[in-house]
Structure formats: C-alpha cells, structure tokens
Amino acid sequence: MESMHAVAVTRSLPVTDPECFVDIDLPVPEPGPHDLLVEVQAISVNPIDVKLRKGAGTPSTPLVLGFDAASVVRAVGSEVHDFAVGDEVWHSGNRDLPGTYSQFTLVDARIVAKRPSSLTIAEAASLPLTSLTSWEALVDHIGLGTLDQRSDKAFLMIGGAGGVGSVAIQLARAITSGPVVATSSRPETAQWCQDMGATGIIDHREPLAPQVKDLGIDGFDGILSAYTPPASALAEIMAPFGHLVMIDGTDSFDLMAFKPKSLSVASESMFTRPQFGTADVAKQGQALARIAQLVENGQIRPTMTRHIEGLTAQHVREATEIVESGGMIGKVVITL
C-alpha cells in the first residue's frame, strides 16, 4: 500500500512543546463514491486547528488536523462528475475526517471548487475557510446583499484584521454599497482593515455607540463578530430587525437586550453542512466557485501575510504559534 507523509497530534501538548506535532507516515486513502483524492500543495492554519489540538487529549489514532488547502485532484469517486484528475482546486474540509496536514487527503467533491488561476498556490490556501465563513454569515444569515443585487445596508465586522474579518470586509464591499466598518485596536490592524476596503474604523476597546455616531451611521443592519461584546453594547448600535452573527460562541448573552429592536442572533460554523450531511451541502462548493469569480474580478484579494515552505511538524508548530499569539493579521500559509 502506498504511503504518504503527514503531520499529526498524538497527545494534547502546549505549542511550545517540540512534541506537540509529530511527523508520521500513513497509507494513502481510497476515495469513496462522492470523494476526491487530492494531492495537497498548500495549507493554512486556522484557530479551529488550535482548538481541536487543545481538546484532542490522547487520540486512539494520530490526529491529522487542517482544513484549508489548495490541491490537485489525483483520483475521483464513482459518483463524481464535475472534476477530473489534474484539476487544480481549493477547499475547506469536514471536522469528522482526517485533515490537510498531509500529502494527500480525501474531500467531498460537493464542497470543492476550481481555484482562481490568478492566485499562487500559497495565496489560494489562505482563503477557503474564511471566505466560506464570511459568505454564510453575510449572504445566508444576514442577507446583506448578493453579487447580482447589491443592497445599501450597513455592516460592521468586529475583529477586522483576522482571517475571517479580512475576507468579510471585502465580501461586504462587493454586496452592499452601504458603510462597511471594521473594529481594530492597533494602528497596523486599522491600516490592514482599510487596505481590505473598510470605509470606517472603530476601536473595540472603547465605547462603540459614540464612535458609530461620529461616523454618521444610525445603526448596523448586520454585524459579524469574531469576539462578541456584551449584548447591550451591540443592541445600541444595531438597526431595528438587524442581525448579529457570532463565530466565537459565548456562554453568556443577554437576549433580552435584543428584544426592543427585534434583533436576531445566529452562530456560524462553515463545518455544519459537511458535518451533518445537509441536503444543501453542495452550496459550499457553489459558494467557493462564486468566491473564485470575485477573486478573478479583483474584488477579493488573498489574505496571506506569512509563508512557510515545507510541511513538517516543526513548521506546523511555528505556524500554530503565530496563530495562537492572538495578534495575527491575515493568514499564515505552509506550502508543501
């Protein structure tokens, strides 16, 4: 049986421990009916990877993490008709399957799309997870606008310089002509948000309402939050019938503060469709294809700010350390 190199977790250890990731050899997997076997060319490291490593304990088999990838199709399942061997693709994965920290991986063809030809392999790997999260939040949950019919709604991204924020700002500019505001607390992150297209910047460490008023905005129709402030502070700056989408999750949220304006709140995980095998799972592949069009049109640019060459345990540890630092701007990518 053919084998492949992978980087795995064998027990939960701090990122400072040289053994927190290990280099291993695994058999190359066989694709099921709906799968693509892809050769991974580049990956990016995400906060979800950190969370899963910390919660892994001592897994019964080595845990291969990683979701984002730019890849080449090497084999297709019997039910796959939209892809062929040699296709250059991009994708983010399924929490229930081995990940992309490996030479080869399996991915459901319905959540895959052809990647934009204008991007390098490394640039392409920076976008799938964050762009899908942004798309589902802004288009599916908030209804901020569409590519075919832009709105004039106001949007706020809380945590604008992170991976999701970087893409959400750009996507918002593509689907609404209204104000697109981002929060940041450092000059360098504020500049990054402006470079991504934010029309206004506010500091999330200061009271929000006076800053929003200074921008001349009556209320936000949609807010996407990477780390959620108290509900009362958000209710004050939201328009009636506005939508809040959280990607961080919170164990305490005062829904009563949302009642007077009939505000709604939703959680967003781009893993939901593949993890639960929803009837509309193919919407993810379709969204990635639309995002590829936005990239080719110059409306979304890649968010890679760090590039490491070579998939090794040491390099994955270095990339993870950058993500865990909490001050990351954009994305860190490893090419194979």
Side-chain angles (χ1 to χ4, degrees):
M1 185 179 285
E2 197 181 348
S3 68
M4 64 178 183
H5 171 249
V7 173
V9 174
T10 54
R11 57 197 171 115
S12 291
L13 292 168
V15 73
T16 50
D17 192 310
E19 299 295 311
C20 73
F21 293 101
V22 295
D23 292 293
I24 60 169
D25 286 322
L26 292 172
V28 175
E30 290 282 328
H34 292 285
D35 293 333
L36 301 176
L37 173 69
V38 297
E39 182 176 356
V40 178
Q41 295 180 305
I43 62 165
S44 73
V45 177
N46 289 285
I48 183 66
D49 304 350
V50 172
K51 185 178 177 184
L52 293 176
R53 186 195 91 249
K54 287 181 174 179
T58 309
S60 54
T61 57
L63 174 65
V64 178
L65 295 171
F67 297 102
D68 275 331
S71 311
V72 177
V73 177
R74 293 304 181 207
V76 300
S78 57
E79 298 296 315
V80 175
H81 308 294
D82 298 330
F83 296 95
V85 172
D87 282 347
E88 296 182 341
V89 295
W90 64 349
H91 48 90
S92 195
N94 186 333
R95 286 182 59 161
D96 301 331
L97 298 173
T100 54
Y101 295 4
S102 57
Q103 274 181 288
F104 297 90
T105 195
L106 296 178
V107 61
D108 187 324
R110 294 169 294 184
I111 63 172
V112 178
K114 308 263 177 73
R115 69 177 187 246
S117 58
S118 59
L119 298 186
T120 66
I121 291 164
E123 288 170 339
S126 72
L127 284 173
L129 186 149
T130 54
S131 60
L132 281 171
T133 301
S134 301
W135 183 279
E136 291 183 357
L138 273 60
V139 177
D140 297 347
H141 289 304
I142 294 173
L144 190 69
T146 67
L147 298 184
D148 307 314
Q149 191 166 7
R150 292 176 83 207
S151 75
D152 60 358
K153 294 178 178 178
F155 173 71
L156 173 65
M157 180 69 222
I158 299 177
V164 171
S166 301
V167 181
I169 292 167
Q170 299 182 76
L171 178 59
R173 287 299 304 272
I175 62 177
T176 179
S177 60
V180 174
V181 179
T183 75
S184 85
S185 59
R186 293 180 285 151
E188 59 269 33
T189 53
Q191 185 60 56
W192 174 264
C193 294
Q194 287 176 317
D195 292 346
M196 292 297 110
T199 61
I201 306 291
I202 60 177
D203 187 339
H204 45 247
R205 296 178 307 185
E206 303 293 334
L208 300 176
Q211 300 180 79
V212 174
K213 188 178 179 184
D214 287 345
L215 291 173
I217 297 167
D218 291 331
F220 292 105
D221 302 285
I223 297 179
L224 177 55
S225 182
Y227 32 90
T228 306
S232 56
L234 294 176
E236 198 176 357
I237 61 170
M238 291 176 73
F241 302 100
H243 301 276
L244 166 70
V245 179
M246 302 186 292
I247 55 175
D248 56 339
T250 178
D251 55 8
S252 60
F253 193 81
D254 177 19
L255 273 177
M256 288 307 292
F258 270 33
K259 188 174 175 63
K261 289 184 178 177
S262 299
L263 305 173
S264 62
V265 59
S267 295
E268 161 56 24
S269 167
M270 52 74 42
F271 299 110
T272 300
R273 284 186 168 108
Q275 188 174 350
F276 294 96
T278 60
D280 64 352
V281 67
K283 268 189 149 185
Q284 287 213 328
Q286 293 159 11
L288 275 178
R290 299 300 296 274
I291 292 156
Q293 288 176 344
L294 286 170
V295 172
E296 300 291 37
N297 295 343
Q299 291 172 279
I300 288 183
R301 69 188 222 196
T303 55
M304 177 180 73
T305 51
R306 297 287 293 272
H307 179 200
I308 299 171
E309 291 189 28
L311 182 70
T312 65
Q314 172 61 20
H315 286 166
V316 171
R317 191 173 75 80
E318 286 173 21
T320 302
E321 215 161 5
I322 295 167
V323 174
E324 273 195 43
S325 72
M328 179 77 189
I329 297 174
K331 296 291 294 288
V332 56
V333 172
I334 301 173
T335 46
L336 278 68

